[in-house]
Amino acid sequence: MRKQRLGFVGLGDDTASACLSMLKIMDGRSEVDWSHSDPDSADVLMISCDQTDETQRWERSDKPRIVVYHGNQQKPASPFILQHPFRVMQLLSVLDEVADTLSSGGASPSHSSAQVAAPSTAVSNNVSPFWLSLHEAVNGNVPDPAGLLVSSSSHGVLYFKPASQRFYASKALFRQLAAGSVELGPLTPTTEPLPEEMVACPLFSLCWMVSRYGATHLAPWMNPEGAFHLKRWPSFGTLEKSRTHLSLCALMTKRPLTREQLQQVSHCSEEELDRFINACEMSDLMVFEEAVQVPLPEAAAEEGKGRFGGLIKGLRSRLGLSA
């Protein structure tokens, strides 16, 4: 395995820390072993788009540069760019492109416009091939959005049409998906026509169902050191009305919280919390914050526990369960 060194220039501590966490997640998923180095010793630079004395100095370097910019900034005229905040798969993709350039002696990598950045087959053992391909498709990484993708299982075939944001399958297969007892193969393009007997399912519903069973830990493309904030509540037609999930929704819609803060207040298990965050992220309900959050005041946490605990205690009493 080739070894390459990556240096950071002008990036904030939170971004650099997130990149280092992603490099650990990417270990074994690329043909190149990437390690952190100071800019002088680095083979590749990850540099901020901001014009500072530090970044301007390294703009004259002949080292390959990955330019990081924010959505409110103009897209840089550079062969390698990343829009902040970015995810593991996006970082992996651009690093692979840089590695191709280095191995070819500096020539720009050639990619057909019809090619898709297919997910690596050497995925970590907690991510299924279907879930990884679903994440790619949901984020628009498909050659033909108007086309049809298909996934096969022992319980039947599932189709996805990215342009309509809908999945299609038999009622029996949807029941198996809701129970988490189906192992689906990765989504692949197909030219077959959509069978007439298929039932349509909104993208949100399927993403929520499969993400609850798709991994036992936080998805590898998310930064475990970040904070999580919900745009809105999930649909009650999809969300199980459990105490833990309702509590997490209430907490995450109020303010961005880290995983540690969410566990501290909700008292749910780490696995259950990660599954919930995965489902929210795949269902496009999540907003990510890179900044380190201020710890929750103990009084506020205890007050929230008291109010919610009182509500649960009252319900248990009315149901005769308080013995």
Side-chain angles (χ1 to χ4, degrees):
M1 178 179 288
R2 288 183 293 143
K3 296 182 180 292
Q4 299 288 355
R5 293 162 297 184
L6 182 66
F8 303 127
V9 178
L11 298 180
D13 291 340
D14 55 338
T15 304
S17 175
C19 286
L20 292 176
S21 298
M22 292 179 187
L23 289 178
K24 293 178 182 178
I25 294 171
M26 288 162 48
D27 187 28
R29 302 183 65 182
S30 172
E31 295 180 358
V32 177
D33 178 21
W34 291 95
S35 61
H36 178 223
S37 172
D38 61 88
D40 289 304
S41 305
D43 303 303
V44 178
L45 300 176
M46 184 173 287
I47 186 169
S48 171
C49 185
D50 297 330
Q51 293 296 310
T52 65
D53 292 341
E54 184 183 16
T55 58
Q56 288 179 353
R57 172 199 167 197
W58 287 102
E59 280 181 355
R60 295 184 290 271
S61 170
D62 58 356
K63 298 180 180 182
R65 294 180 299 114
I66 302 170
V67 181
V68 180
Y69 71 104
H70 290 265
N72 59 353
Q73 294 177 311
Q74 185 176 357
K75 189 174 181 180
S78 176
F80 308 114
I81 58 174
L82 272 174
Q83 182 175 336
H84 187 279
F86 48 85
R87 300 176 181 175
V88 172
M89 297 305 294
Q90 294 167 318
L91 178 61
L92 176 60
S93 177
V94 73
L95 286 178
D96 282 345
E97 289 185 10
V98 175
D100 288 342
T101 300
L102 291 172
S103 63
S104 61
S108 298
S110 59
H111 294 287
S112 168
S113 59
Q115 284 182 318
V116 183
S120 170
T121 54
V123 296
S124 55
N125 59 8
N126 66 318
V127 179
S128 70
F130 173 77
W131 197 43
L132 191 59
S133 67
L134 174 63
H135 181 265
E136 295 292 318
V138 167
N139 283 275
N141 196 7
V142 291
D144 180 17
L148 199 63
L149 303 176
V150 64
S151 172
S152 301
S153 76
S154 58
H155 293 272
V157 179
L158 180 143
Y159 295 89
F160 175 43
K161 187 177 291 186
S164 66
Q165 298 289 282
R166 286 185 174 273
F167 283 84
Y168 303 84
S170 65
K171 291 183 179 179
L173 179 55
F174 277 131
R175 284 195 294 268
Q176 295 295 329
L177 285 168
S181 57
V182 179
E183 184 174 342
L184 291 162
L187 287 163
T188 56
T190 180
T191 56
E192 297 178 2
L194 184 67
E196 295 182 359
E197 68 273 13
M198 293 285 157
V199 178
C201 170
L203 174 62
F204 175 91
S205 298
L206 187 76
C207 286
W208 188 271
M209 283 191 291
V210 300
S211 296
R212 288 177 301 163
Y213 309 105
T216 56
H217 301 289
L218 199 66
W221 50 81
M222 284 190 279
N223 177 17
E225 305 299 326
F228 306 94
H229 188 202
L230 288 184
K231 300 177 184 177
R232 58 180 176 82
W233 281 62
S235 168
F236 276 103
T238 305
L239 176 66
E240 303 94 331
K241 300 175 184 63
S242 70
R243 169 183 175 177
T244 300
H245 284 181
L246 292 173
S247 176
L248 288 171
C249 284
L251 292 167
M252 296 169 71
T253 51
K254 188 174 182 180
R255 56 173 291 188
L257 296 171
T258 64
R259 292 164 74 215
E260 290 74 16
Q261 290 172 330
L262 287 166
Q263 276 194 282
Q264 173 189 341
V265 182
S266 67
H267 300 286
C268 70
S269 67
E270 183 177 353
E271 181 176 325
E272 185 174 11
L273 174 61
D274 286 347
R275 288 180 185 274
F276 181 82
I277 292 176
N278 287 339
C280 290
E281 188 272 341
M282 188 70 85
S283 304
D284 195 29
L285 296 174
M286 190 73 70
V287 178
F288 298 96
E289 299 287 345
E290 296 293 342
V292 176
Q293 300 297 305
V294 177
L296 288 172
E298 291 188 11
E302 291 299 323
E303 180 184 357
K305 285 168 53 182
R307 285 201 302 267
F308 198 83
L311 173 62
I312 296 301
K313 184 177 181 180
L315 289 174
R316 290 178 60 86
S317 177
R318 289 179 175 82
L319 293 172
L321 301 174
S322 56

